[in-house]
Amino acid sequence: MTNSSAMTALKSLRMTNSAIGDTQSRISTGYRVSEAADNAAYWSIATTMRSDNKVLSTVQDALGLGAGVVDTAYTGINTVIDYVDEIKAKVAAASQSGVDKDKIQSEITQLIDGFESTVNSASYAGSNWLVTETGGATSQEIVSSFTRNSAGGISLGTVDITLADYALIDNTTATGSSQVGLLENVDFTYVPDGSTSSTTVTGFDLTGLDVTTADLEEALAGVDFVLSELTNKASDLGAIKSRIDMQTDFVSNLMDAMDRGIGQLVDADMEQESTRLQALQVQQQLGIQALSIANSNAQNLLALFR
């Protein structure tokens, strides 16, 4: 009525089949901890780290977008530097006797139109740091990092940009006309036609200057000052670009490190699982044979009734 041997063999076979199921699950999913039931602590840690990695991926995208905006502004300012450098050369050329200042002024006007066009077109994804618009943003934040502290709190780090520091054109005037914000803020005094007047770098008229006076030197000094300011702005943008590039590399390396950490917690060792599966399959076959032998022992009783 009770076959103890068969019961023991059946229990062993069931345990072997269960172990085979677990091993096959690890092999098919690639995880030794694929759900909370496998290991609640490791599963919880891995799930949180995967979530953080998704946020880091978004941070990486934000850095890429920020790098594009910074690079566009940097390229725009570098181009404006070339234009202003040419203007400086034209102003210096006007000091030579016999030079047609009307033609030089015409060239300068074209150069001014050129860098105004450059500044207005230095836009990336709808953002132009070199232009001030009515109702536009005064600052911009570039998400640069994601942090989770030991208490479980999270925070986002940003690179803060004050757009007024880099604006070269002001489109906020009542008439809506474009003015070169940086250049129009640099005044110098000269004496055209015998009367004292003050103007800006973009507004002065070389045809009214007396090249025998210090007026031209003042004009040249004004343009040189603007060139120096543009160089400083380009240097600042270059530093921001370098910081973003370094942060992008760090975020990428951090994501790789987190992926490795998750893998060490939950990934299955395929070589080990393959070896275990083969061993369990042998145990399963032996278990079936043991159960078969245990069940056949009861058949021996029939011999007593022959």
Side-chain angles (χ1 to χ4, degrees):
M1 297 300 296
T2 302
N3 190 334
S4 299
S5 298
M7 293 171 62
T8 302
L10 180 60
K11 181 179 179 180
S12 177
L13 182 59
R14 285 175 175 170
M15 293 176 61
T16 301
N17 288 339
S18 177
I20 288 178
D22 292 341
T23 302
Q24 288 177 333
S25 176
R26 296 190 187 107
I27 292 174
S28 62
T29 63
Y31 295 114
R32 66 185 178 91
V33 180
S34 59
E35 56 185 16
D38 296 330
N39 187 313
Y42 283 1
W43 179 85
S44 176
I45 295 172
T47 300
T48 301
M49 292 176 70
R50 289 192 186 103
S51 178
D52 289 352
N53 239 8
K54 289 182 180 179
V55 177
L56 285 174
S57 178
T58 303
V59 170
Q60 193 174 43
D61 293 339
L63 284 168
L65 180 62
V69 178
V70 172
D71 193 46
T72 300
Y74 177 79
T75 301
I77 287 184
N78 267 344
T79 303
V80 172
I81 287 175
D82 292 338
Y83 276 110
V84 176
D85 201 29
E86 285 295 317
I87 292 175
K88 181 180 176 181
K90 299 302 180 185
V91 173
S95 64
Q96 301 177 24
S97 59
V99 173
D100 189 339
K101 286 182 287 184
D102 287 333
K103 291 183 179 179
I104 292 180
Q105 179 62 41
S106 177
E107 290 180 304
I108 290 177
T109 299
Q110 291 300 318
L111 290 170
I112 291 173
D113 290 342
F115 69 63
E116 285 181 344
S117 176
T118 296
V119 170
N120 278 306
S121 63
S123 178
Y124 181 89
S127 180
N128 190 337
W129 289 4
L130 306 185
V131 175
T132 302
E133 300 285 356
T134 302
T138 58
S139 63
Q140 186 167 343
E141 294 180 346
I142 300 174
V143 177
S144 59
S145 64
F146 168 79
T147 304
R148 180 184 294 276
N149 60 34
S150 58
I154 60 176
S155 61
L156 291 174
T158 59
V159 177
D160 299 323
I161 306 296
T162 301
L163 298 184
D165 292 341
Y166 304 100
L168 301 184
I169 287 184
D170 180 12
N171 286 335
T172 61
T173 56
T175 60
S177 61
S178 295
Q179 300 293 329
V180 180
L182 173 64
L183 300 189
E184 70 177 354
N185 290 327
V186 181
D187 291 335
F188 61 93
T189 301
Y190 65 97
V191 188
D193 302 327
S195 61
T196 302
S197 178
S198 178
T199 186
T200 64
V201 174
T202 56
F204 70 87
D205 183 1
L206 284 177
T207 59
L209 291 179
D210 182 358
V211 296
T212 62
T213 69
D215 299 335
L216 192 60
E217 293 180 358
E218 291 185 30
L220 191 60
V223 177
D224 187 66
F225 174 78
V226 170
L227 189 61
S228 175
E229 289 295 301
L230 288 170
T231 302
N232 291 337
K233 292 179 185 297
S235 297
D236 291 342
L237 286 174
I240 294 173
K241 184 177 182 298
S242 177
R243 175 184 173 184
I244 290 176
D245 289 342
M246 293 178 65
Q247 189 66 20
T248 300
D249 291 340
F250 169 72
V251 171
S252 178
N253 293 334
L254 181 59
M255 290 174 65
D256 291 341
M258 292 183 70
D259 282 336
R260 289 193 297 270
I262 294 171
Q264 291 173 351
L265 286 177
V266 300
D267 283 359
D269 185 336
M270 287 305 191
E271 291 84 357
Q272 182 180 4
E273 297 301 332
S274 175
T275 303
R276 180 182 288 114
L277 179 61
Q278 293 185 28
L280 288 172
Q281 287 174 339
V282 172
Q283 292 180 28
Q284 184 185 50
Q285 294 173 9
L286 292 174
I288 292 172
Q289 292 182 7
L291 181 59
S292 177
I293 293 172
N295 286 333
S296 67
N297 288 338
Q299 301 295 324
N300 296 330
L301 293 174
L302 295 177
L304 300 176
F305 296 95
R306 293 177 183 172

